[in-house]
Amino acid sequence: MSETATIKPWINPYLAILVGVFAVSFSAILVRVCSAPPLVIAAYRLIFTFTFLAPFTLWGGAPALRGMTKRQVLLSAASGVFLAFHFVTWFISLKYTSIASSVVLVTTQPLFVVLGSWIFFKERVPRLALYGGALAFAGSVVIGATDFQLGGSAFIGDMLALFAAVMVSGYLLIGRRLRGDVPLTGYTFVTYGSSAIVLTATALAARFPMYPHPARDWLIFVALALVCTILGHTVFNWVLRYVQASVVSVSVLGEPLGAILWAAVFLGENPTPRQAVGGAIIFSGLYLFTRVTARGKRRG
C-alpha cells in the first residue's frame, strides 16, 4: 500500500485545493493595485515568503538542508532564478495588458512543462494531448491578435505573460526532478531564498526604491506572500501527497477565472468578447492536454 493511502490528511485535500485556487486568484489584482514597481513587488513577495517559511526549515538543526548534496543545492538555486524571472515578467505584463489576457496566457505553463519533459527527460506525449496543446495555442493567438489590435503595449504584455509561463515551467521541471529526493522544506528554503536574492539585487542595481512605500503596498507585499504563495502554491504542494497531480493541474485552471472575476468586480475590467472566446479555447485545450497527459503517465 502506498504512503499516500496510509496517511490520513488532517483536512480534506479537495477542500484544500479550493482554498489554494481561491488564494492564488488574488495575485493579479493585488499586483495591479500596488503602486510599487513590478520588480520591487516580486522581490518583497519572495522576501516575505522566505522569511515566513525559514523557521520551519531551520527548526531542529535544519536536517532538510544538511541532507542536501551540492548538486541539489545548485539546482534548487537555479529553480529560484527561474521563479524570479517568472514573477517579474508576469508582474510587468499586468502593467501592460488586461488581467484577463495576462492570467489566461500565463496559465499555459503545462504546455511548456510537457515540452520540456519531452526535450530533457525524453518523455513521450500522447497524440491527443498534442491536439489539446494546439487548441490552447490557438486560443493564445486569438487573445494576442485581439490585444495587438487594441494597442502595441497590450500585445507586449501578452508576450511577457507567455515568457512568464516559460519561466515558471523551468522552475517546475527542476522542482519535479528534485522533489523525489529533497524534502519540501529544504527545497523551498533554497529556491525562495535564491529567488529573493536575485530579485532584490536586480532591483537595487536598477535603482528601484525598496523603501519607503505606502502602508497599503506593504500590506499587499505580505498578502502576496502569505495568501497567494504560502496559502496558495504551498497548499498545492501539500495536496500532491494525497491526490493525483492531474487533479491539481486541472483545478489550477480555476485561478484565471477567479482573477477575471475579481478584476471585473473591483476594477470594472471586463474581458472583451474575443478575449472570452480565446480564454474558453485555452481552457478547453489545457483541460484536454492535462487530463490526457496525466492518464498517459499513470498507464506508463
Side-chain angles (χ1 to χ4, degrees), residues 261-282:
L261 174 62
W262 305 139
V265 171
F266 296 110
L267 301 179
E269 187 177 298
N270 298 309
T272 65
R274 289 187 64 175
Q275 286 175 328
V277 171
I281 295 173
I282 289 177

Side-chain angles (χ1 to χ4, degrees), residues 178-218:
L178 289 177
R179 281 291 291 119
D181 303 313
V182 179
L184 179 61
T185 53
Y187 171 71
T188 55
F189 183 89
V190 178
T191 298
Y192 291 158
S194 64
S195 188
I197 291 172
V198 168
L199 289 168
T200 303
T202 305
L204 292 174
R207 299 185 181 276
F208 283 109
M210 297 300 290
Y211 65 89
H213 294 289
R216 188 185 70 169
D217 283 0
W218 289 107

Side-chain angles (χ1 to χ4, degrees), residues 16-295:
I17 289 175
L18 290 177
V19 172
V21 171
F22 182 76
V24 297
S25 68
F26 286 99
S27 294
I29 192 171
L30 287 174
V31 173
R32 176 62 69 82
V33 300
C34 187
S35 64
L39 183 56
V40 174
I41 301 173
Y44 275 119
R45 175 173 182 169
L46 269 299
I47 289 172
F48 281 116
T49 299
F50 176 80
T51 302
F52 293 142
L53 291 180
F56 297 97
T57 305
L58 300 176
W59 181 266
L65 286 177
R66 289 188 286 106
M68 294 176 66
T69 65
K70 182 179 179 180
R71 178 177 179 273
Q72 290 170 339
V73 171
L74 290 176
L75 284 174
S76 297
S79 178
V81 174
F82 276 106
L83 184 62
F85 277 109
H86 160 69
F87 277 134
V88 72
T89 52
W90 182 42
F91 290 177
I92 294 174
S93 81
L94 288 165
K95 302 296 183 180
Y96 283 95
T97 190
S98 67
I99 288 178
S101 293
S102 182
V103 295
V104 167
L105 291 172
V106 83
T107 310
T108 59
Q109 52 87 10
L111 305 179
F112 300 108
V113 169
V114 173
L115 178 62
S117 299
W118 175 66
I119 294 174
F120 298 108
F121 305 147
K122 308 303 179 184
E123 293 184 357
R124 299 183 62 183
V125 182
R127 180 176 299 179
L128 189 57
L130 293 177
Y131 294 150
L135 187 61
F137 179 77
S140 302
V141 172
V142 171
I143 289 179
T146 302
D147 286 350
F148 185 76
Q149 293 175 353
L150 293 176
S153 61
F155 183 73
I156 291 173
D158 291 348
M159 295 301 99
L160 287 170
L162 281 175
F163 184 76
V166 175
M167 291 297 99
V168 78
S169 300
Y171 158 73
L172 293 171
L173 285 169
I174 296 175
R176 174 178 152 196
R177 178 50 60 105
L178 289 177
R179 281 291 291 119
D181 303 313
V182 179
L184 179 61
T185 53
Y187 171 71
T188 55
F189 183 89
V190 178
T191 298
Y192 291 158
S194 64
S195 188
I197 291 172
V198 168
L199 289 168
T200 303
T202 305
L204 292 174
R207 299 185 181 276
F208 283 109
M210 297 300 290
Y211 65 89
H213 294 289
R216 188 185 70 169
D217 283 0
W218 289 107
L219 290 175
I220 290 174
F221 298 153
V222 173
L224 284 168
L226 281 178
V227 178
C228 304
T229 307
I230 296 177
L231 194 58
H233 295 287
T234 305
V235 165
F236 292 144
N237 285 325
W238 175 81
V239 165
L240 285 172
R241 190 174 188 181
Y242 303 100
V243 302
Q244 296 172 350
S246 60
V247 175
V248 178
S249 297
V250 175
S251 299
V252 171
L253 296 181
E255 177 186 354
L257 300 178
I260 293 170
L261 174 62
W262 305 139
V265 171
F266 296 110
L267 301 179
E269 187 177 298
N270 298 309
T272 65
R274 289 187 64 175
Q275 286 175 328
V277 171
I281 295 173
I282 289 177
F283 290 145
S284 300
L286 287 178
Y287 180 84
L288 175 63
F289 183 84
T290 53
R291 289 302 299 268
V292 173
T293 301
R295 186 163 61 243

